[in-house]
Every structure is written in C-alpha cells, then in structure tokens.
Amino acid sequence: MSDPVPIIEVTDLVRKFGSRTVLRGLSFKVFKGDTMIIMGGSGCGKSTLLRHINGAMKPTSGSIKIFGEEITTMNERQLAHIRRRYGMLFQSGALLQSMTVGENVALPVTEHGKLDSDIVELMVKMKLEMVGLTGFENLKPAEISGGMKKRVGLARALALDPELLFSDEPTSGLDPIMTAVVDKLTQELTRQLGMTAVVVTHDMTSAFRIGTKMIMLGAGPKQGTIIASGTPDEIRNSPDPEVQQFIRGEADGPVPLKLSKDDYINRLLGNQERIGKGKH
Amino acid sequence: MVHIGVRAVPMVSLTAFSIGVTLAMQAAHELQTLGASAWVPDLVAVSLLRELGPILIAVIVIGRSGSAVTAELGTMKVSEEIEALNVMAINPIRFLVVPRVIAMMIMLPCLTIFGNYVGIFGGWVICHFALNMSTAGYILRAVNSSHPWDLYSGIIKSFVFAWLIITIACDTGMKVEGGAEGVGEATTNSVVYSLLSMLIANATLTAVFFFA
C-alpha cells in the first residue's frame, strides 16, 4: 500500500551534546500519506529529533534521508531546496513579531514565488479560514493568544501546500474544539491530499485520533532510543509497562514518580550540605 | 530605513547643535586671550568636519540603532523566529541582515553630513550673537578654512563606522543564546564593541589621512 521509497528515512541517528548522549541510534521510516506520531516524556529528545530531521541540527553520526535525499551532508543552499517542499509548525508558532498575521502567512508565498498580490491575499484568507482565524489578517502576533499564534503558524506551514508537514506539539495550548479542528485538518490533508505528517505530541487523545504510525522515545536509562513503534493499535496493546504508563497518563510506574526513601533522604541531605558549603 | 535614519534626526540635531555651540564658546574664550577670535569659525568647521561630527553621530547611532538591531535580532533568535525562517527556506541573512546593513550604510553618512551643518550653525549662533561677527563673514571663514578633503575624510570615516557598527550589531544579535538574559548581554556587548572599534578605527583613519 505504501510508496516503496520512504518520505523520511532515519538510520542510526546519534546526537551527543558534549558528554551527554541525547539520541542513541534511532532508526525509522515514514511513508507517503502516513501521520507519524513521535511520543515521549518531556526532555526525551523529541524536539531534538525533529530539529535533526528538518536540518536545523547536524547529527553526530547516522543518516537522515528526506524525499530520498541525504540531508546530513547538505549545505544551506541544497537544504533550502528540500525545505521548500515541507512546512513546519513550531511549538511557539515562531511568527515574525514585526509582521501582521496575514504577512506571516503570506511570507513563504511571497518569498518563493512572484504572484499577484490579489492572489496572495486570497491564499492567505483561505489558509486562515482553514484554521478558523478569518478576519485576523491585520493583527500583530503580540495581539493574539498563544493558541491563535499556533494556528497562524499552522496556516503559514501550509501556505505552500507542502508534501510533508512537521508539527511540534500542534495542539498544546488549544481548547478541545480547536484541537479537534486542527486534528481534522491534519487528517483531511493526509488522507485526502496524500500529505505526510510528522507530529510530536503529548496529547494522547489527539495522537490516537490522527496517527497512523507511532514511535515512542524512552526515558531515564532508555533515553534517546525507540522503546515502541507500530500502528496505534499495536501501541495501545503494547505489553511494555512504560508505554502503558505513558498512554494512560499514570503518575507512578516504570518511570518512577518518587525515589526510594533512602535515595530521597540521601539526595536531600546531600543537597543541603552543598547549599551550606555554597554559602560559606 | 526610517528607524535608523529619519527618527534619529532630532537627536542628532540637538547633539550637533550643542557641540557646535560649546566648541565656539571654548574657542572664543581661548582665542580671545591671543587676540585671534576671528579664527573661531575655522576651528569649529574643521574640528566638526574631520573629527567630532563623524564620531558623535556614530556614538548616537550606536546607542540608538546598533543596540536596537542587536536586541531585535537577538529576540528573534531566542524566539525561534530565525530558525523558522531557515526552515521556510528563507535565508535570514538576506531577509534580516542585508536590509539593515544597507540602511545603516546610507543613513549614517547622511546623518553625519546633516550633523556637520547643524554643528556649524551652532557655531554661527555664538559668533554672531556673542562675538558680533557678520553672518557672511562667518560662512566665508568657515568655508575658506576647510578643504573639501576635510568633509570627504569625515564621510569616509562615517562609512567605515557604519560598516563596523552594523556588522557588530548583526553578528552579536544573530549569535544570541539563552533567553532574555542573553539578549541583554548581547546588546551591551554590541554597544561596547562598536564604540571601541569605532574609536580605534577613528584614530587609525586620522593617522592615515592627516598624519602620514
């Protein structure tokens, strides 16, 4: 059913920051039309992974192919060529504060093509309509709420009708209705227009609603590795207790909430000594 | 752009005017004891065109615009805006830095020429009202004493200063790491480095133009 050439192919991706290894040998593939969900606790390397796939960071070792082309060895100019084919929604929206909402959405269009200003205006209106923000074109990003910024960010990511969409927590900070709107939009674009999506999220409802493939990154000693991957059903029925803890949202489990009593006392007193030393 | 250039005009006028006035007053006082108060216009014109004009206007522009450019680009860096431009395949250098460099390279020399005139006008105020010099006499002396080279050297200096100020401002801005604190630190660095390099460049250029 899938295209034989994967849209994204990550092989043995390793990234170290100094002595800290954040990603340890990740491998996965994303095929056309899929919605790949990347899950995992805060600080497990999800955003770092996304920044490698979009070329903002270079890996320590390993390979990343997008549309069948190796991007880890590309320079900015070659990368720019690939980047025109995908859109990215940032966690904070990352709108240019000095421009209005409309100008932000129009930016990729005006920068990459010479279209009539009337057509650009029409395109902007269409994209804003898609995310439920008609009539906000002339406001500055500082004048709208965080959730609205995120939706403007999505409209901008979709401005060039990309083949591939990266979303970094697209639904955090949105109300349940808007979450459903954004989810439905992603679904329509992927199922009807064959767009491929890679979504980083904590929101389990949304993840199981839109995902067709999922990977989960581990925490603690398993940090930076894939602990589970598969279809939503496979993940839901995964025997791994860590996966189950994550999707059910339980405070305690394989990822411990609290340290043992002795560990706790040790750390607490250890810290106190250090604080005491620091003061003298 | 409008921000670097046009909005700096009131500030530049005020500074240049006050410098022209104080220069003339000091010169008048000192030169009177030598009975040479007729030389006041010469002194005002030459020192403004060669040194004080370019330096003072550059100091104002560093404080007003250099710092603003660093803070703006730094804030964009920490709020992922620069990364977003990169991901949209828009080169942030071309999109953000180049227009600012062009604006600075055009506006600083313009402001310097303008400031020179205002400063010389400040000198005239003192000469005319306190030293009873005629307007025509003042202009004649000021023009006669200064060679075109005085003006040109000042403008060349201001081009060099513009280049230093804007490259330092943009570079420190684009390299900001670590939130609001990083932006503050970068802005301070930008102002300090711009001032230092501007003063060093000025001394060097004066040595090359008038001493060598």
Side-chain angles (χ1 to χ4, degrees):
Chain A
M1 74 172 213
S2 299
D3 199 312
V5 179
I7 299 283
I8 301 174
E9 185 175 8
V10 175
T11 321
D12 293 327
L13 181 63
V14 176
R15 172 65 194 221
K16 292 178 181 161
F17 290 107
S19 60
R20 210 159 53 91
T21 311
V22 178
L23 304 172
R24 335 173 178 229
L26 299 180
S27 302
F28 62 90
K29 288 176 186 171
V30 184
F31 290 96
K32 188 169 166 59
D34 267 342
T35 301
M36 167 67 93
I37 307 283
I38 302 175
M39 299 184 290
S42 300
C44 71
K46 298 188 301 290
S47 296
T48 312
L49 174 59
L50 202 57
R51 295 177 76 175
H52 279 89
I53 303 175
N54 75 26
M57 286 181 170
K58 299 277 181 211
T60 310
S61 69
S63 121
I64 302 167
K65 284 182 184 165
I66 295 188
F67 305 123
E69 293 185 63
E70 180 67 48
I71 63 157
T72 51
T73 51
M74 280 186 179
N75 59 29
E76 282 294 317
R77 174 168 283 180
Q78 292 166 313
L79 213 47
H81 204 69
I82 294 277
R83 280 170 164 164
R84 288 179 197 199
R85 296 170 64 186
Y86 65 70
M88 163 122 190
L89 166 61
F90 285 82
Q91 203 168 343
S92 60
L95 304 178
L96 299 181
Q97 302 289 331
S98 56
M99 299 177 149
T100 65
V101 165
E103 286 166 344
N104 262 290
V105 178
L107 190 61
V109 185
T110 48
E111 282 295 308
H112 294 317
K114 289 188 178 63
L115 282 178
D116 227 43
S117 63
D118 292 348
I119 297 174
V120 173
E121 205 177 310
L122 201 68
M123 284 174 80
V124 168
K125 281 194 177 141
M126 274 167 59
K127 301 296 171 188
L128 284 175
E129 173 75 45
M130 280 163 86
V131 294
L133 284 173
T134 318
F136 285 87
E137 294 93 309
N138 296 322
L139 292 180
K140 286 279 176 79
E143 296 166 327
I144 60 177
S145 78
M148 286 155 90
K149 277 183 207 163
K150 195 161 272 190
R151 284 187 279 150
V152 176
L154 182 59
R156 185 178 68 182
L158 297 173
L160 289 176
D161 296 319
E163 297 163 58
L164 174 60
L165 174 72
F166 295 111
S167 301
D168 195 354
E169 308 210 1
T171 56
S172 69
L174 296 188
D175 63 58
I177 300 174
M178 270 308 146
T179 304
V181 169
V182 168
D183 285 351
K184 192 149 176 284
L185 186 62
T186 315
Q187 270 177 325
E188 280 172 3
L189 290 169
T190 50
R191 312 240 158 111
Q192 292 167 16
L193 299 174
M195 188 182 79
T196 310
V198 176
V199 181
V200 167
T201 187
H202 287 270
D203 181 345
M204 288 301 111
T205 328
S206 155
F208 282 104
R209 193 155 51 194
I210 62 173
T212 59
K213 289 279 171 55
M214 295 181 153
I215 57 173
M216 182 179 255
L217 302 185
K222 291 180 200 152
Q223 200 206 325
T225 58
I226 296 175
I227 55 167
S229 68
T231 63
D233 281 334
E234 284 166 359
I235 296 282
R236 201 179 276 123
N237 301 322
S238 163
D240 188 328
E242 199 177 323
V243 175
Q244 288 301 325
Q245 185 196 354
F246 194 87
I247 58 181
R248 292 206 200 111
E250 288 159 350
D252 215 352
V255 179
L257 169 67
K258 286 177 182 155
L259 306 161
S260 73
K261 199 175 153 194
D262 289 345
D263 275 351
Y264 180 68
I265 289 172
N266 270 341
R267 265 198 211 181
L268 202 62
L269 292 180
N271 273 343
Q272 219 167 31
E273 266 168 37
R274 226 175 294 143
I275 293 166
K277 273 178 200 161
K279 273 185 181 167
H280 294 299
Chain B
M1 279 185 289
V2 175
H3 186 80
I4 291 180
V6 181
R7 294 198 197 138
V9 164
M11 182 76 192
V12 165
S13 319
L14 190 70
T15 318
F17 183 77
S18 80
I19 288 301
V21 168
T22 39
L23 254 180
M25 288 195 290
Q26 292 284 9
H29 183 77
E30 291 298 315
L31 292 178
Q32 232 161 14
T33 55
L34 300 170
S37 39
W39 294 87
V40 173
D42 311 41
L43 195 139
V44 171
V46 170
S47 52
L48 267 173
L49 290 178
R50 282 190 186 177
E51 297 289 336
L52 287 171
I55 288 193
L56 280 166
I57 311 303
V59 168
I60 292 169
V61 168
I62 288 172
R64 266 192 96 259
S65 312
S67 59
V69 164
T70 306
E72 195 183 1
L73 293 181
T75 310
M76 294 183 80
K77 176 83 189 295
V78 296
S79 60
E80 292 183 315
E81 288 177 39
I82 305 240
E83 196 183 324
L85 283 173
N86 263 326
V87 171
M88 283 189 279
I90 297 170
N91 184 344
I93 303 292
R94 187 179 60 73
F95 190 74
L96 298 171
V97 174
V98 171
R100 285 169 174 75
V101 171
I102 293 174
M104 180 65 89
M105 297 297 289
I106 294 174
M107 290 324 286
L108 185 56
C110 289
L111 284 172
T112 304
I113 295 172
F114 173 76
N116 285 340
Y117 281 118
V118 176
I120 291 172
F121 168 73
W124 168 83
V125 169
I126 294 298
C127 290
H128 187 70
F129 293 107
L131 304 179
N132 290 323
M133 218 175 259
S134 74
T135 306
Y138 178 80
I139 295 175
L140 215 65
R141 281 219 74 115
V143 170
N144 262 344
S145 63
S146 50
H147 304 285
W149 174 239
D150 293 329
L151 177 66
Y152 297 154
S153 71
I155 294 172
I156 293 170
K157 277 182 180 178
S158 76
F159 268 114
V160 175
F161 297 164
W163 179 255
L164 286 171
I165 294 169
I166 199 66
T167 45
I168 290 173
C170 290
D171 184 61
T172 43
M174 297 291 272
K175 281 187 186 152
V176 168
E177 298 282 341
E181 200 189 335
V183 175
E185 203 179 308
T187 310
T188 311
N189 285 343
S190 161
V191 170
V192 171
Y193 294 149
S194 301
L195 271 175
L196 286 178
S197 56
M198 189 269 284
L199 292 173
I200 293 169
N202 183 55
T204 317
L205 288 176
T206 300
V208 171
F209 291 158
F210 301 105
F211 227 67

